[in-house]
Amino acid sequence: MAEAGVSAMVQAAVTGNLTPDQRQMLRAVNLGASSLSFVGSTFIVLCYVLFKELRKFSFKLVFYLAISDMLCSFFSIVGDPSNGFVCYSQGYTTHFFCVASFLWTTTIAFTLHRTVVKHKADVEDLESIFHLYVWGTSLVMTVMRSISNNHSHLGALCYTQTGRTGKAVHFITFYMPLWGAILYNGYTYFQVIRMLNNATRMAVGMTDRPFDLRPDIKALNRWGYYPLILIGSWAFGTINRIHDFIEPGHKIFWLTFLDLGTAALMGLFNSIAYGLNTSVRRAIYERMDCLFYIDHGSLGSEFGLKKYGRNALVVLELWSDIQLDY
């Protein structure tokens, strides 16, 4: 059974030298962290559905990313060791949607690179190719992972595989594509940031007007953090998988704890970094201002504008379209 995704990390831990209390703590970490990711991803999905101004191509990719994170988190929560079918389903679905999640981040990086560096405006025509790439690759990786399964191994939480061959295939079908995505995202964002830095300096040099570049530099630096989300989410998991392959009978509790906790929070990290951007915040501010006006009349409207800042809305208008989207 495919053991990728967050819940599979708990499954890998329970076959080792962990105490019942430690296993229970890992279950609690899985439930809590996955729930936070589910809430964060669901919030981004609802924003896309409710706010029509967000329904443009750039944020549509973030919407697909949030869908993948939401389903990955959901199926990480519902595993039940007393129900074999649910455990089988959980293994397949967590593997599929976790792979889909980090693949959607590569489509966002590709879109930025093609728009900013290549100066191409045809990215919307590539949406069907993006879907084929993400869902097709995720399906192939999941099927490859399931073929290598030895269903005779049963762990304390769902189905756990202890054979070296299965662990090797797991690493190939999950962690190798993952780190490929990390390297691609890092290289792509480096080129995008360098391109925009050069363009900003050229624009400043062509005019005598003083410019405050701090908001632009802040936005550029934020893009540089995007690849770190996957690194932070899966670095401990990668180390734990390698350790588990070398010493399969010895589990390190603190490493498994960090592995499970950081991986389960990937959806929350993505929803904050990719989803809770300037466009979303502005849409929320505007709705809250309208809400205060409806509930409290002119006094409520004035209070809402003071609290959330009319000046903030003016500043947000000055951001470029790319900064608004990402």
Side-chain angles (χ1 to χ4, degrees):
M1 182 62 210
E3 55 180 346
V6 177
S7 296
M9 298 170 187
V10 183
Q11 298 169 16
V14 296
T15 58
N17 56 335
L18 301 178
T19 66
D21 289 340
Q22 289 174 332
R23 297 177 185 178
Q24 185 62 34
M25 186 178 298
L26 292 177
R27 294 188 184 99
V29 169
N30 173 62
L31 178 61
S34 297
S35 299
L36 289 174
S37 290
F38 180 79
V39 171
S41 302
T42 303
F43 173 76
I44 300 303
V45 171
L46 291 177
C47 286
Y48 180 84
V49 173
L50 296 176
F51 302 152
K52 293 182 179 180
E53 63 268 32
L54 297 179
R55 298 175 193 172
K56 42 191 172 181
F57 181 74
S58 55
F59 199 78
K60 185 184 291 186
L61 297 180
V62 177
F63 168 71
Y64 295 142
L65 170 63
I67 286 287
S68 299
D69 285 331
M70 182 180 69
L71 293 175
C72 179
S73 301
F74 173 77
F75 287 109
S76 295
I77 296 172
V78 300
D80 181 5
S82 65
N83 190 323
F85 174 78
V86 175
C87 289
Y88 275 105
S89 301
Q90 182 195 42
Y92 282 118
T93 51
T94 53
H95 189 282
F96 179 87
F97 288 111
C98 282
V99 172
S101 174
F102 63 71
L103 291 181
W104 278 119
T105 67
T106 64
T107 67
I108 295 174
F110 175 85
T111 299
L112 269 175
H113 184 270
R114 190 168 180 82
T115 303
V116 175
V117 179
K118 299 295 184 180
H119 306 292
K120 301 290 186 179
D122 60 346
V123 287
E124 294 190 31
D125 299 332
L126 302 176
E127 182 177 356
S128 58
I129 297 178
F130 287 164
H131 281 287
L132 180 62
Y133 155 68
V134 172
W135 305 123
T137 303
S138 301
L139 179 62
V140 170
M141 293 297 103
T142 303
V143 171
M144 288 177 60
R145 182 71 184 92
S146 65
I147 291 175
S148 68
N149 258 348
N150 184 346
H151 299 295
S152 63
H153 296 298
L154 180 63
L157 282 184
C158 279
Y159 290 95
T160 303
Q161 194 170 69
T162 59
R164 282 181 173 268
T165 301
K167 292 178 181 178
V169 174
H170 179 202
F171 198 90
I172 292 172
T173 58
F174 187 84
Y175 288 95
M176 287 185 63
L178 167 68
W179 285 98
I182 291 172
L183 292 175
Y184 174 79
N185 288 352
Y187 173 75
T188 300
Y189 282 116
F190 171 77
Q191 287 196 320
V192 170
I193 292 172
R194 183 177 62 177
M195 177 72 179
L196 290 177
N197 271 326
N198 293 336
T200 302
R201 293 190 184 98
M202 289 178 61
V204 172
M206 295 172 62
T207 180
D208 296 331
R209 288 195 309 163
F211 280 96
D212 184 5
L213 298 179
R214 287 176 296 179
D216 296 325
I217 298 300
K218 182 179 179 181
L220 295 179
N221 291 335
R222 183 164 63 90
W223 287 348
Y225 296 142
Y226 287 176
L228 298 180
I229 295 175
L230 289 179
I231 296 176
S233 297
W234 296 104
F236 293 111
T238 304
I239 296 172
N240 202 21
R241 297 287 81 71
I242 295 174
H243 175 268
D244 184 52
F245 186 82
I246 297 174
E247 296 186 44
H250 179 69
K251 305 295 180 184
I252 302 177
F253 173 72
W254 66 265
L255 180 60
T256 304
F257 183 91
L258 293 174
D259 168 10
L260 178 64
T262 55
L265 288 173
M266 179 181 66
L268 179 64
F269 296 153
N270 283 336
S271 64
I272 294 174
Y274 288 96
L276 198 59
N277 55 34
T278 310
S279 292
V280 174
R281 293 198 299 270
R282 182 169 64 177
I284 294 174
Y285 293 156
E286 292 174 350
R287 266 60 174 192
M288 295 189 75
D289 281 336
C290 293
L291 179 63
F292 278 115
Y293 177 80
I294 293 173
D295 288 347
H296 303 287
S298 59
L299 178 62
S301 178
E302 181 181 359
F303 170 76
L305 288 173
K306 286 183 177 179
K307 181 174 182 180
Y308 296 102
R310 184 181 294 276
N311 290 336
L313 296 180
V314 175
V315 172
L316 295 179
E317 291 288 349
L318 301 178
W319 286 58
S320 67
D321 291 337
I322 296 177
Q323 289 170 334
L324 287 174
D325 294 339
Y326 295 108

Coordinates of all heavy atoms in Angstrom, one line a residue, residues 13-66:
A13 N 6.7 5.0 11.6 CA 7.2 5.1 13.0 C 6.7 3.9 13.9 O 7.4 3.5 14.7 CB 6.8 6.4 13.6
V14 N 5.5 3.5 13.7 CA 4.9 2.6 14.7 C 5.5 1.2 14.6 O 5.3 0.4 15.5 CB 3.3 2.5 14.4 CG1 2.7 3.8 14.7 CG2 3.0 2.0 13.0
T15 N 6.2 0.8 13.6 CA 6.8 -0.5 13.6 C 8.2 -0.5 14.2 O 8.8 -1.5 14.3 CB 7.0 -0.9 12.1 OG1 7.8 0.1 11.4 CG2 5.7 -1.0 11.4
G16 N 8.7 0.6 14.8 CA 10.0 0.7 15.4 C 9.9 0.5 16.9 O 9.0 -0.1 17.4
N17 N 10.9 1.1 17.6 CA 11.0 1.0 19.0 C 10.4 2.1 19.8 O 10.9 2.6 20.8 CB 12.5 0.9 19.4 CG 13.3 2.1 18.9 OD1 12.9 2.8 17.9 ND2 14.4 2.4 19.5
L18 N 9.2 2.5 19.4 CA 8.5 3.6 20.0 C 7.6 3.1 21.1 O 7.0 2.0 20.9 CB 7.8 4.5 19.0 CG 8.6 5.1 17.9 CD1 7.7 5.9 16.9 CD2 9.7 6.0 18.5
T19 N 7.4 3.9 22.2 CA 6.5 3.5 23.2 C 5.1 3.8 22.8 O 4.8 4.6 21.9 CB 6.8 4.2 24.5 OG1 6.6 5.6 24.3 CG2 8.3 4.0 24.9
P20 N 4.1 3.2 23.5 CA 2.7 3.5 23.2 C 2.4 5.0 23.3 O 1.6 5.6 22.6 CB 1.9 2.6 24.2 CG 2.8 1.5 24.4 CD 4.2 2.0 24.4
D21 N 3.0 5.6 24.4 CA 2.7 7.1 24.6 C 3.3 7.9 23.4 O 2.7 8.9 23.0 CB 3.4 7.5 25.9 CG 2.6 7.0 27.1 OD1 1.4 6.6 26.9 OD2 3.2 7.0 28.2
Q22 N 4.4 7.5 22.9 CA 5.0 8.2 21.8 C 4.2 8.0 20.5 O 4.0 8.9 19.7 CB 6.5 7.7 21.5 CG 7.4 8.1 22.6 CD 8.8 7.5 22.4 OE1 8.9 6.4 21.9 NE2 9.8 8.2 22.9
R23 N 3.7 6.8 20.3 CA 2.8 6.6 19.2 C 1.5 7.4 19.2 O 1.1 7.9 18.2 CB 2.5 5.1 19.1 CG 3.7 4.2 18.9 CD 3.3 2.7 18.9 NE 4.5 1.8 18.8 CZ 4.4 0.5 18.8 NH1 3.2 -0.1 18.9 NH2 5.5 -0.2 18.7
Q24 N 1.0 7.5 20.4 CA -0.2 8.3 20.6 C 0.1 9.7 20.4 O -0.8 10.4 19.8 CB -0.8 8.1 22.0 CG -2.1 8.8 22.3 CD -3.2 8.2 21.4 OE1 -3.2 7.1 21.1 NE2 -4.1 9.1 21.0
M25 N 1.2 10.2 20.8 CA 1.6 11.6 20.5 C 1.7 11.9 19.0 O 1.3 12.9 18.5 CB 2.9 11.9 21.2 CG 3.3 13.4 21.1 SD 4.8 13.7 22.1 CE 4.3 13.3 23.7
L26 N 2.3 10.9 18.3 CA 2.4 11.1 16.8 C 1.0 11.1 16.2 O 0.8 11.9 15.2 CB 3.3 9.9 16.3 CG 4.7 9.9 16.6 CD1 5.4 8.7 16.0 CD2 5.4 11.2 16.2
R27 N 0.1 10.3 16.7 CA -1.2 10.3 16.1 C -1.9 11.7 16.4 O -2.5 12.3 15.5 CB -2.1 9.3 16.7 CG -1.7 7.8 16.4 CD -2.7 6.8 16.9 NE -2.3 5.5 16.7 CZ -1.7 4.7 17.6 NH1 -1.5 5.2 18.8 NH2 -1.4 3.5 17.3
A28 N -1.6 12.3 17.6 CA -2.2 13.6 17.9 C -1.6 14.7 17.0 O -2.2 15.6 16.6 CB -1.9 13.9 19.4
V29 N -0.2 14.6 16.8 CA 0.4 15.6 15.9 C -0.1 15.5 14.5 O -0.4 16.5 13.9 CB 2.0 15.3 15.9 CG1 2.6 16.1 14.8 CG2 2.5 15.6 17.3
N30 N -0.3 14.3 14.0 CA -0.9 14.1 12.7 C -2.2 14.7 12.6 O -2.5 15.5 11.6 CB -1.0 12.6 12.3 CG -1.7 12.4 11.0 OD1 -1.2 12.8 10.0 ND2 -2.8 11.6 11.1
L31 N -3.1 14.5 13.6 CA -4.4 15.0 13.5 C -4.5 16.5 13.6 O -5.1 17.2 12.9 CB -5.2 14.4 14.7 CG -6.7 14.9 14.8 CD1 -7.5 14.5 13.6 CD2 -7.3 14.3 16.1
G32 N -3.7 17.1 14.6 CA -3.7 18.5 14.8 C -3.1 19.3 13.6 O -3.7 20.2 13.1
A33 N -1.9 18.8 13.1 CA -1.3 19.5 12.0 C -2.1 19.4 10.7 O -2.2 20.4 9.9 CB 0.2 19.0 11.8
S34 N -2.6 18.2 10.4 CA -3.4 18.0 9.2 C -4.7 18.8 9.3 O -5.1 19.3 8.2 CB -3.7 16.5 9.1 OG -2.5 15.8 8.9
S35 N -5.2 19.0 10.5 CA -6.4 19.8 10.6 C -6.2 21.2 10.3 O -7.0 21.9 9.6 CB -7.0 19.6 12.0 OG -7.4 18.3 12.3
L36 N -5.0 21.8 10.8 CA -4.7 23.1 10.5 C -4.5 23.3 9.0 O -4.9 24.3 8.4 CB -3.4 23.5 11.2 CG -3.5 23.7 12.7 CD1 -2.1 23.9 13.3 CD2 -4.4 24.8 13.1
S37 N -3.8 22.4 8.3 CA -3.6 22.5 6.9 C -5.0 22.4 6.1 O -5.2 23.1 5.1 CB -2.7 21.4 6.4 OG -1.4 21.6 6.8
F38 N -5.9 21.6 6.6 CA -7.2 21.4 6.0 C -7.9 22.7 6.1 O -8.6 23.2 5.1 CB -8.0 20.3 6.7 CG -9.3 20.1 6.1 CD1 -9.5 19.4 4.9 CD2 -10.4 20.6 6.7 CE1 -10.8 19.3 4.4 CE2 -11.7 20.4 6.2 CZ -11.9 19.8 5.0
V39 N -7.9 23.4 7.3 CA -8.6 24.6 7.5 C -8.0 25.7 6.6 O -8.7 26.5 5.9 CB -8.6 25.1 9.0 CG1 -9.1 26.5 9.1 CG2 -9.4 24.1 9.8
G40 N -6.7 25.8 6.6 CA -6.0 26.8 5.8 C -6.3 26.7 4.3 O -6.6 27.7 3.6
S41 N -6.2 25.4 3.8 CA -6.5 25.2 2.4 C -8.0 25.4 2.0 O -8.3 26.0 0.9 CB -6.1 23.7 2.0 OG -4.8 23.5 2.3
T42 N -8.9 25.0 2.9 CA -10.3 25.3 2.7 C -10.6 26.8 2.6 O -11.4 27.2 1.8 CB -11.1 24.6 3.8 OG1 -10.8 23.2 3.8 CG2 -12.6 24.8 3.5
F43 N -9.9 27.6 3.4 CA -10.1 29.0 3.4 C -9.8 29.6 2.0 O -10.5 30.4 1.5 CB -9.3 29.7 4.5 CG -9.3 31.2 4.4 CD1 -10.3 31.9 4.9 CD2 -8.2 31.8 3.9 CE1 -10.3 33.3 4.9 CE2 -8.2 33.2 3.9 CZ -9.2 33.9 4.4
I44 N -8.7 29.1 1.4 CA -8.3 29.6 0.1 C -9.3 29.2 -0.9 O -9.6 30.0 -1.8 CB -6.9 29.1 -0.2 CG1 -5.8 29.6 0.8 CG2 -6.5 29.6 -1.6 CD1 -5.8 31.1 1.0
V45 N -9.8 28.0 -0.8 CA -10.8 27.5 -1.8 C -12.0 28.3 -1.7 O -12.6 28.7 -2.7 CB -11.1 26.0 -1.5 CG1 -12.3 25.6 -2.4 CG2 -9.9 25.1 -1.8
L46 N -12.5 28.6 -0.5 CA -13.7 29.5 -0.3 C -13.5 30.9 -0.8 O -14.4 31.5 -1.4 CB -14.1 29.5 1.2 CG -14.6 28.2 1.8 CD1 -14.8 28.3 3.3 CD2 -15.8 27.7 1.0
C47 N -12.3 31.4 -0.6 CA -12.0 32.8 -1.2 C -12.1 32.8 -2.7 O -12.7 33.7 -3.2 CB -10.6 33.2 -0.7 SG -10.4 33.7 1.0
Y48 N -11.6 31.7 -3.3 CA -11.7 31.7 -4.8 C -13.1 31.6 -5.2 O -13.5 32.2 -6.2 CB -10.9 30.5 -5.3 CG -10.9 30.3 -6.8 CD1 -10.0 31.1 -7.6 CD2 -11.8 29.5 -7.4 CE1 -10.0 30.9 -9.0 CE2 -11.8 29.4 -8.8 CZ -10.9 30.1 -9.6 OH -11.0 30.0 -10.9
V49 N -13.9 30.8 -4.5 CA -15.3 30.6 -4.9 C -16.2 31.9 -4.6 O -17.0 32.2 -5.4 CB -15.9 29.4 -4.1 CG1 -17.4 29.3 -4.4 CG2 -15.2 28.1 -4.5
L50 N -15.9 32.6 -3.5 CA -16.7 33.7 -3.1 C -16.4 35.0 -3.8 O -17.2 35.9 -4.0 CB -16.7 33.8 -1.6 CG -17.3 32.6 -0.8 CD1 -17.1 32.9 0.7 CD2 -18.8 32.4 -1.1
F51 N -15.1 35.2 -4.0 CA -14.6 36.5 -4.5 C -14.3 36.4 -6.0 O -13.4 35.8 -6.5 CB -13.3 36.9 -3.8 CG -13.5 37.0 -2.3 CD1 -12.4 36.9 -1.5 CD2 -14.7 37.3 -1.7 CE1 -12.5 37.0 -0.1 CE2 -14.9 37.5 -0.4 CZ -13.8 37.3 0.4
K52 N -15.2 37.0 -6.8 CA -15.1 36.9 -8.3 C -13.9 37.5 -8.8 O -13.3 37.1 -9.8 CB -16.4 37.5 -8.9 CG -17.6 36.7 -8.7 CD -18.8 37.4 -9.4 CE -20.1 36.6 -9.1 NZ -21.3 37.2 -9.9
E53 N -13.4 38.6 -8.2 CA -12.2 39.2 -8.7 C -10.9 38.4 -8.6 O -9.9 38.7 -9.2 CB -12.0 40.6 -8.0 CG -11.7 40.5 -6.5 CD -13.0 40.6 -5.6 OE1 -14.1 40.1 -6.1 OE2 -12.9 41.1 -4.5
L54 N -11.0 37.3 -7.8 CA -9.8 36.5 -7.7 C -9.8 35.4 -8.8 O -8.8 34.7 -8.9 CB -9.8 35.8 -6.3 CG -9.7 36.7 -5.1 CD1 -9.8 35.9 -3.8 CD2 -8.4 37.5 -5.1
R55 N -10.8 35.3 -9.6 CA -10.9 34.2 -10.5 C -10.2 34.5 -11.8 O -10.7 34.6 -12.9 CB -12.4 33.9 -10.8 CG -13.1 33.4 -9.6 CD -14.6 33.2 -9.9 NE -15.4 33.1 -8.7 CZ -16.7 33.0 -8.6 NH1 -17.4 33.1 -9.8 NH2 -17.4 32.9 -7.5
K56 N -8.9 34.8 -11.7 CA -8.0 34.9 -12.8 C -7.0 33.8 -12.9 O -6.9 33.1 -11.9 CB -7.4 36.3 -12.8 CG -6.8 36.7 -11.5 CD -6.4 38.2 -11.5 CE -6.1 38.7 -10.2 NZ -5.7 40.1 -10.2
F57 N -6.3 33.7 -14.0 CA -5.5 32.4 -14.2 C -4.5 32.2 -13.1 O -4.3 31.1 -12.6 CB -4.9 32.5 -15.5 CG -4.1 31.3 -15.9 CD1 -4.7 30.1 -16.2 CD2 -2.7 31.3 -15.8 CE1 -4.0 28.9 -16.4 CE2 -1.9 30.2 -16.1 CZ -2.6 29.0 -16.4
S58 N -3.8 33.3 -12.7 CA -2.7 33.2 -11.7 C -3.2 32.6 -10.4 O -2.6 31.7 -9.9 CB -2.0 34.5 -11.5 OG -3.0 35.5 -11.1
F59 N -4.4 33.1 -9.9 CA -4.9 32.6 -8.7 C -5.6 31.3 -8.9 O -5.8 30.5 -7.9 CB -5.9 33.6 -8.0 CG -6.1 33.4 -6.6 CD1 -5.1 33.7 -5.6 CD2 -7.2 32.8 -6.1 CE1 -5.3 33.5 -4.3 CE2 -7.4 32.5 -4.8 CZ -6.5 32.9 -3.9
K60 N -6.0 31.0 -10.1 CA -6.6 29.7 -10.4 C -5.6 28.6 -10.1 O -6.0 27.5 -9.6 CB -7.1 29.6 -11.8 CG -7.9 28.3 -12.1 CD -8.3 28.2 -13.6 CE -9.3 29.2 -14.0 NZ -9.8 29.1 -15.4
L61 N -4.4 28.8 -10.4 CA -3.3 27.8 -10.1 C -3.2 27.6 -8.5 O -3.0 26.5 -8.1 CB -2.0 28.2 -10.7 CG -2.0 28.3 -12.2 CD1 -0.6 28.7 -12.7 CD2 -2.3 27.0 -12.8
V62 N -3.3 28.7 -7.8 CA -3.3 28.6 -6.3 C -4.5 27.9 -5.8 O -4.4 27.1 -4.9 CB -3.2 30.1 -5.7 CG1 -3.3 30.0 -4.2 CG2 -2.0 30.8 -6.2
F63 N -5.6 28.0 -6.5 CA -6.8 27.3 -6.2 C -6.6 25.8 -6.3 O -7.0 25.0 -5.5 CB -8.0 27.8 -7.0 CG -9.2 27.0 -7.0 CD1 -10.0 26.9 -5.8 CD2 -9.6 26.2 -8.1 CE1 -11.2 26.2 -5.8 CE2 -10.7 25.4 -8.0 CZ -11.5 25.4 -6.9
Y64 N -6.0 25.4 -7.4 CA -5.8 24.0 -7.7 C -4.8 23.4 -6.6 O -4.9 22.3 -6.1 CB -5.2 23.8 -9.1 CG -6.1 24.1 -10.2 CD1 -5.7 24.7 -11.4 CD2 -7.5 23.8 -10.1 CE1 -6.6 25.0 -12.4 CE2 -8.4 24.1 -11.1 CZ -7.9 24.7 -12.2 OH -8.8 25.0 -13.3
L65 N -3.8 24.3 -6.3 CA -2.9 23.9 -5.2 C -3.6 23.7 -3.9 O -3.3 22.7 -3.2 CB -1.8 24.9 -5.1 CG -0.8 24.8 -3.9 CD1 0.0 23.6 -3.9 CD2 0.1 26.1 -3.8
A66 N -4.5 24.6 -3.6 CA -5.3 24.5 -2.3 C -6.2 23.3 -2.3 O -6.3 22.6 -1.3 CB -6.1 25.8 -2.1

